[in-house]
Amino acid sequence: MNPFTQDGPKLGNQFSDDLAMQNYLKRVLSEKMYKEIEPGLTHLGARAANEILTLGYAAEAYPPKHIPFDPWGKRIDRIEVSQAWRELERISAEEKLIATAYERRHGDLSRVHQFAKIYLYSPSSAIATCPLAMTDGAARALELYGSAELKARAFSKLTSGNPDTFWSSGQWMTEKTGGSDVSLTATVAKKVDGKFTLYGDKWFTSATTSQMAITLARIEGAPPGSKGLSMFYLELRDEKGNLNNIRVHRLKDKLGTRAVPTAELTLEGTAATLIGTEGDGVKKISSLFSITRVWNSCCAASFMRRGMFLARDYAHKRVAFGKKLIDHPLHQNTLAELEAQSQGAFHITFRVAELLGKDELNTATENDRVLLRVLNPIVKLYTAKKAIAHASEVLESFGGAGYCEDTGLPRLLRDAQVLSIWEGTTNVLSLDMVRAHAKERGLDILAKEIQNQLEKISESSLPALGGIAESIKSSLDTAVAMLHKIEKSGSDALEQSARELAMGFGDLYAATLLLSQADWELKSFGKSLAHLCAERLIRAPKQPPVSLLSDRQLASLIQL
């Protein structure tokens, strides 16, 4: 008797094996910059497939614990995290996941370099990217609005590349009265002798083992609503390690992100420092959200890539109905669709990273800034929803093994689900898009951006791209006409259609970016498959591709 044992999927170097990522970076970066950063990305790609991945599994196997009392009954509210979780944070500092953006060695392309690192690190890290995203957001807020004292004390630590001095930050907004609707914030800030103390409940606080947090509170006597809120900085513990008048009630029992210490807590006279001026907290804290939403998008795109890598490797190993999965045309088609969705999410996310870098270093045009403001919510909601569906399809491609926790595969789906909730739900972000459009005609600017890119492609001497460009243009014309028709029907009609508009423009822009990438690749290397991904993104649901792909093309596509 020779019992059969199925080999599971294996990961290779997450940078060296990702030709799509390499080609994108070669297009947008100078040859000198690419050569400079490539060794570091290769090194991180190897760590992501080995050391970081092992630590990620260990961190999830030993989730955080809340210890409310010491053995003698003294209230301590200590949150214990695993050694693996602490090591993941140290690695994030070593790899300069935050510092890269603020050292700005590569000017306005420093954000692209940073997010390339995040893209490699994230899916192996048990969502250690959650506190890191808030750390980056806090760093940007302090860089823009913090006093000299806060910059010296906190900003320098948030942006440190030394694990021994690095700080992470929480972002404590959510209260029982409202999640995304921060205007209902009930936390009160009392001012005595020029110093503030905070009182109130925070219902969902991630990064409760960080050294500091950014939060909103209403100073006594301030008006209700958003205009009465101010932004505050607080440190969780004093020099002796005692909590800063913070009472931890419990850790959240969550569907996913199980290694992330997320708590309910009460501020009971917590010492805090005002950031900016009184009453401008919502405006000031938007700088933080602008950062964390891009992290959310990058994590979603990286989850999709990880699922694709695993499904592809498994398809070369698993035999069903007489041949490997990779040799079944229908499975080839499924993997090709997963590849297209993954590449689309990658390109649209990194386009926002490009714009973010330009905005921060004042190299952006006014059109760039409007484009960033309208794309920030679109890309976050688009990639989050795509990641959930993508993870579900990936699990299905493993059959029953995809449903068993000990394979590690269900974590892809459990963790992906939070991405449509963190940093604003799909509906909230759709309304943000509507506001950006109403204020600055953001969707019209986006449509013009798509049109300009398509015109450059149409002028190309590469006829293989022409038909796809025309299909995108036709779909864009339909989308713009529909947008303007909806606008004439009133604000309720626009709000009602906001999700569909966001997802539709997301698909169109992702396809356009892929086509631009394909144009460059064909001119540079004489071959490209990015246009096949673009073709899949723009076809109507349940419709065949614009031009049917042969089995050989499909097989080539999933070999990327």
Side-chain angles (χ1 to χ4, degrees):
M1 183 175 181
N2 184 22
F4 171 76
T5 301
Q6 176 64 52
D7 290 335
K10 300 292 183 183
L11 290 176
N13 187 300
Q14 293 299 279
F15 179 71
S16 300
D17 289 355
D18 196 336
L19 183 61
M21 182 185 188
Q22 293 171 43
N23 284 344
Y24 161 78
L25 293 174
K26 288 176 181 177
R27 177 174 66 84
V28 300
L29 308 180
S30 67
E31 183 178 356
K32 179 182 177 181
M33 181 178 170
Y34 182 83
K35 287 182 177 179
E36 182 178 334
I37 71 171
E38 188 270 340
L41 295 178
T42 301
H43 174 71
L44 181 55
R47 294 187 87 177
N50 296 284
E51 179 187 5
I52 298 171
L53 183 64
T54 299
L55 290 169
Y57 282 128
E60 178 143 311
Y62 297 95
K65 296 180 181 179
H66 174 216
I67 312 297
F69 301 98
D70 73 5
W72 303 100
K74 179 183 177 182
R75 187 90 192 201
I76 56 173
D77 282 326
R78 186 173 72 249
I79 296 175
E80 292 184 351
V81 295
S82 66
Q83 179 62 30
W85 183 255
R86 291 191 289 270
E87 285 299 317
L88 286 166
E89 183 176 279
R90 290 186 64 85
I91 290 173
S92 74
E94 289 172 0
E95 296 289 348
K96 295 188 174 184
L97 296 193
I98 307 298
T100 297
Y102 295 91
E103 291 175 346
R104 297 189 173 118
R105 291 180 56 191
H106 301 292
D108 59 14
L109 288 169
S110 296
R111 281 290 183 185
V112 171
H113 184 199
Q114 178 202 27
F115 280 102
K117 292 182 175 184
I118 296 163
Y119 187 76
L120 298 173
Y121 174 90
S122 174
S124 295
S125 71
I127 318 299
T129 41
C130 168
L132 293 175
M134 293 182 284
T135 300
D136 195 349
R140 182 58 177 160
L142 290 180
E143 183 179 45
L144 289 171
Y145 310 118
S147 64
E149 291 78 10
L150 278 183
K151 288 179 181 178
R153 177 162 178 78
F155 175 77
S156 61
K157 295 181 176 67
L158 296 172
T159 58
S160 173
N162 182 349
D164 295 326
T165 59
F166 176 70
W167 277 14
S168 61
S169 176
Q171 173 187 307
W172 297 356
M173 308 299 163
T174 306
E175 300 189 1
K176 294 178 181 178
T177 49
S180 298
D181 187 0
V182 296
S183 68
L184 298 175
T185 296
T187 298
V188 174
K190 296 183 178 182
K191 190 176 184 180
V192 179
D193 297 329
K195 296 182 179 180
F196 288 98
T197 52
L198 308 184
Y199 298 83
D201 297 320
K202 296 297 181 180
W203 190 73
F204 200 98
T205 61
S206 292
T208 45
T209 54
S210 293
Q211 290 83 0
M212 59 162 284
I214 302 291
T215 191
L216 291 175
R218 196 179 309 279
I219 297 172
E220 285 186 310
S226 298
K227 294 181 179 179
L229 294 174
S230 300
M231 183 166 67
F232 288 90
Y233 161 95
L234 64 88
E235 294 183 16
L236 274 71
R237 295 181 180 272
D238 61 22
E239 294 179 356
K240 295 181 179 179
N242 298 316
L243 280 172
N244 180 10
N245 295 319
I246 298 171
R247 175 69 59 88
V248 179
H249 300 295
R250 62 171 176 165
L251 291 176
K252 293 290 193 182
D253 185 9
K254 298 167 293 181
L255 170 66
T257 66
R258 293 174 177 174
V260 181
T262 307
E264 293 177 28
L265 55 81
T266 297
L267 308 177
E268 300 177 329
T270 302
T273 301
L274 179 68
I275 302 174
T277 56
E278 296 184 12
D280 66 353
V282 172
K283 180 180 179 181
K284 292 286 190 290
I285 212 162
S286 64
S287 62
L288 194 156
F289 293 147
S290 296
I291 301 296
T292 55
R293 286 176 177 175
V294 186
W295 275 75
N296 201 98
S297 302
C298 187
C299 291
S302 72
F303 270 34
M304 294 168 75
R305 199 63 179 158
R306 174 58 55 83
M308 183 62 217
F309 276 140
L310 292 170
R312 179 197 305 158
D313 184 75
Y314 189 68
H316 284 86
K317 297 175 176 176
R318 179 65 174 171
V319 174
F321 305 106
K323 54 186 176 181
K324 292 179 180 179
L325 294 180
I326 197 71
D327 295 323
H328 288 274
L330 183 56
H331 198 66
Q332 290 178 351
N333 188 65
T334 300
L335 292 180
E337 185 66 26
L338 290 174
E339 179 74 29
Q341 297 295 332
S342 170
Q343 287 204 35
F346 171 85
H347 279 278
I348 200 169
T349 294
F350 275 77
R351 177 58 177 149
V352 175
E354 294 171 31
L355 293 169
L356 180 63
K358 288 183 177 183
D359 184 58
E360 290 180 344
L361 270 72
N362 296 315
T363 60
T365 65
E366 186 53 36
N367 266 14
D368 287 337
R369 292 190 173 93
V370 174
L371 193 59
L372 175 60
R373 285 191 282 272
V374 76
L375 277 175
N376 191 277
I378 290 175
V379 173
K380 190 276 182 183
L381 74 86
Y382 176 86
T383 55
K385 298 300 277 189
K386 294 279 187 178
I388 297 167
H390 194 276
S392 179
E393 192 69 61
V394 166
L395 263 62
E396 187 177 339
S397 74
F398 286 89
Y403 200 64
C404 293
E405 284 286 356
D406 57 0
T407 65
L409 294 165
R411 192 174 76 177
L412 290 171
L413 184 56
R414 286 192 285 103
D415 288 347
Q417 184 62 61
V418 80
L419 297 171
S420 65
I421 299 172
W422 275 346
E423 312 309 324
T425 62
T426 306
N427 283 356
V428 167
L429 291 163
S430 297
L431 295 178
D432 280 357
M433 176 202 71
V434 167
R435 282 188 287 271
H437 175 65
K439 185 178 181 180
E440 302 175 293
R441 303 304 299 176
L443 290 177
D444 289 336
I445 296 294
L446 176 55
K448 186 64 176 177
E449 161 81 2
I450 294 171
Q451 188 174 29
N452 288 341
Q453 289 205 32
L454 291 175
E455 287 176 358
K456 292 177 182 177
I457 294 165
S458 297
E459 295 168 0
S460 166
S461 59
L462 303 168
L465 307 183
I468 305 173
E470 286 302 313
S471 295
I472 298 174
K473 179 64 167 58
S474 176
S475 296
L476 177 65
D477 291 342
T478 300
V480 171
M482 183 63 67
L483 167 65
H484 294 160
K485 182 179 179 180
I486 292 169
E487 284 185 291
K488 291 178 181 179
S489 300
S491 59
D492 284 353
L494 186 57
E495 177 177 330
Q496 197 171 44
S497 305
R499 283 172 67 122
E500 288 73 20
L501 286 169
M503 293 300 291
F505 274 96
D507 272 335
L508 288 168
Y509 196 38
T512 301
L513 293 170
L514 279 165
L515 211 56
S516 294
Q517 179 70 29
D519 186 44
W520 178 85
E521 289 177 7
L522 286 167
K523 291 174 180 175
S524 301
F525 311 126
K527 60 181 180 179
S528 174
L529 293 168
H531 63 293
L532 302 181
C533 294
E535 187 178 52
R536 284 177 166 267
L537 287 182
I538 61 163
R539 73 177 191 270
K542 299 182 180 178
Q543 293 294 317
V546 177
S547 58
L548 290 173
L549 305 178
S550 70
D551 289 348
R552 180 173 297 179
Q553 285 177 303
L554 283 168
S556 297
L557 178 58
I558 58 181
Q559 295 294 331
L560 275 174

